[in-house]
C-alpha cells in the first residue's frame, strides 16, 4: 500500500468515525488526487478552521474556482457546517475530507466525474 492509499484510508476513517458519513471511495480517491502534493505536507494537508483567512482560501480557491460556485453567504455557511460536522474540537481537519464534504453538500460530484 502506497503513501497516498494510506492517506485515503485515514480520510475514509475520519469520514466514517468523526463525520458519520459512509464515504464514496471512488470520489474520495479523486478528491485526494486533486489536492495534489499538499496531502503530503503536514501544514497544507489540514484546514485551520479557526483562521478566517484559511476559510476564505477554501471558499475562493476550491468552492469558487474549482467547483464553479457563485460567491455568496451560503458558501461560508457550508464551510462552517462542514467544520461543525467534522467537530470543532478535532484538531486535524484534513483538507481532502473537508473538500469531500463540501462536494457532497453542493452536489458537485460531477466535477470529479
Amino acid at each position: 500500500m502506497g503513501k497516498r492509499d494510506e492517506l485515503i484510508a485515514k480520510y475514509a476513517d475520519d469520514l466514517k468515525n468523526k463525520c458519520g458519513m459512509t464515504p464514496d471511495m471512488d470520489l474520495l480517491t479523486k478528491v485526494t488526487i486533486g489536492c495534489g502534493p499538499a496531502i503530503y505536507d503536514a501544514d497544507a494537508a489540514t484546514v485551520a478552521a479557526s483562521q478566517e483567512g484559511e476559510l476564505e482560501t477554501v471558499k475562493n480557491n476550491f468552492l469558487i474556482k474549482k467547483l464553479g460556485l457563485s460567491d455568496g453567504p451560503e458558501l461560508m455557511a457550508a464551510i462552517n457546517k462542514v467544520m461543525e460536522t467534522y467537530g470543532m474540537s478535532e484538531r486535524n481537519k484534513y483538507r481532502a475530507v473537508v473538500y469531500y464534504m463540501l462536494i457532497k453538500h453542493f452536489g458537485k460530484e460531477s466535477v470529479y466525474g
Side-chain angles (χ1 to χ4, degrees):
M1 187 190 281
K3 181 83 169 134
R4 185 171 70 200
D5 291 334
E6 290 172 21
L7 289 171
I8 291 168
K10 184 174 9 178
Y11 302 155
D13 186 64
D14 270 19
L15 282 164
K16 279 184 215 141
N17 299 317
K18 295 177 182 170
C19 306
M21 301 172 83
T22 302
D24 170 341
M25 293 308 291
D26 188 47
L27 178 62
L28 181 58
T29 300
K30 289 175 182 174
V31 171
T32 302
I33 292 167
C35 288
I39 61 170
Y40 304 110
D41 178 274
D43 187 46
T46 58
V47 175
S50 60
Q51 295 178 2
E52 198 61 39
E54 176 85 358
L55 300 182
E56 281 293 320
T57 300
V58 169
K59 182 180 87 169
N60 293 323
N61 292 354
F62 185 69
L63 295 179
I64 296 172
K65 288 181 185 166
K66 179 72 180 170
L67 299 187
L69 299 169
S70 300
D71 195 3
E74 69 281 357
L75 298 187
M76 199 51 81
I79 291 170
N80 289 327
K81 183 177 179 225
V82 162
M83 294 305 167
E84 283 174 30
T85 301
Y86 212 141
M88 291 311 264
S89 63
E90 184 57 44
R91 195 168 168 278
N92 290 324
K93 292 179 181 67
Y94 294 106
R95 188 170 303 279
V97 175
V98 170
Y99 286 4
Y100 175 91
M101 287 195 285
L102 287 167
I103 290 163
K104 286 295 203 183
H105 176 86
F106 287 107
K108 286 293 201 171
E109 292 90 344
S110 62
V111 172
Y112 288 90

